[in-house]
């Protein structure tokens, strides 16, 4: 009986630890109105634009087909994802993308085009 309790406790704590280290979920870039859903498909990670905090933009986004702006991120470690592409919605520019899980509620998305780059912090949100 005691060993069964230990196994159950181990499985429970492992599940909690895994869920805290996942980039999958709903995210909002700091200072922006966009809302993204990050999901895994066939071993790669994608970021789909699913809404906005601006009601007019939210209606436009939800009336369109899937808008996947972050594509093909590959998991390198529990906190590092690389080799993806981000398509800037304003001008359709393709930027190389990498992502770092800072903690369970924050990620840093690094975008680069040639020598130029910037890092954007995204915060996990619940909707």
């Amino acid at each position: 009986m005691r060993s069964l309790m230990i196994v159950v406790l181990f499985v429970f704590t492992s599940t909690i630890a895994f869920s805290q280290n996942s980039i999958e979920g709903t995210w909002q870039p700091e200072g922006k109105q966009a809302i993204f859903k990050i999901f895994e498909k066939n071993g790669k990670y994608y970021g789909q634009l699913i809404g906005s905090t601006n009601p007019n933009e939210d209606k436009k986004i939800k009336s369109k087909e899937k808008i996947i702006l972050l594509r093909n991120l590959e998991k390198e470690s529990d906190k590092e994802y690389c080799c993806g592409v981000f398509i800037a919605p304003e001008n359709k520019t393709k930027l190389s993308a990498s992502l770092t899980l800072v903690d369970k509620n924050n990620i840093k998305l690094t975008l680069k085009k040639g020598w130029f780059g910037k890092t954007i912090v995204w915060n996990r949100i619940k909707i």
Side-chain angles (χ1 to χ4, degrees), residues 31-50:
K32 303 290 183 181
Q33 296 176 340
I35 299 171
F36 287 87
K37 175 183 175 186
I38 295 181
F39 62 95
E40 183 270 334
K41 182 177 180 183
N42 298 327
K44 298 203 178 194
Y45 292 83
Y46 300 85
Q48 178 183 351
L49 181 62
I50 62 167

Side-chain angles (χ1 to χ4, degrees), residues 46-91:
Y46 300 85
Q48 178 183 351
L49 181 62
I50 62 167
S52 174
T53 56
N54 177 324
N56 292 331
E57 286 296 316
D58 194 52
K59 285 181 185 177
K60 287 181 194 175
I61 292 167
K62 290 181 177 175
S63 69
K64 296 180 181 179
E65 287 187 38
K66 291 182 181 179
I67 304 170
I68 299 178
L69 298 176
L70 182 60
R71 301 168 188 222
N72 298 323
L73 280 171
E74 299 174 4
K75 185 174 185 174
E76 287 198 322
S77 70
D78 286 343
K79 296 185 181 246
E80 301 290 328
Y81 300 78
C82 81
C83 312
V85 174
F86 184 84
I87 302 170
E90 312 85 41
N91 54 16

Side-chain angles (χ1 to χ4, degrees), residues 11-48:
V11 170
F12 179 72
T13 56
S14 297
T15 303
I16 290 172
F18 176 76
S19 66
Q20 291 179 349
N21 288 333
S22 176
I23 63 168
E24 292 181 78
T26 309
W27 300 88
Q28 183 173 16
E30 280 187 354
K32 303 290 183 181
Q33 296 176 340
I35 299 171
F36 287 87
K37 175 183 175 186
I38 295 181
F39 62 95
E40 183 270 334
K41 182 177 180 183
N42 298 327
K44 298 203 178 194
Y45 292 83
Y46 300 85
Q48 178 183 351

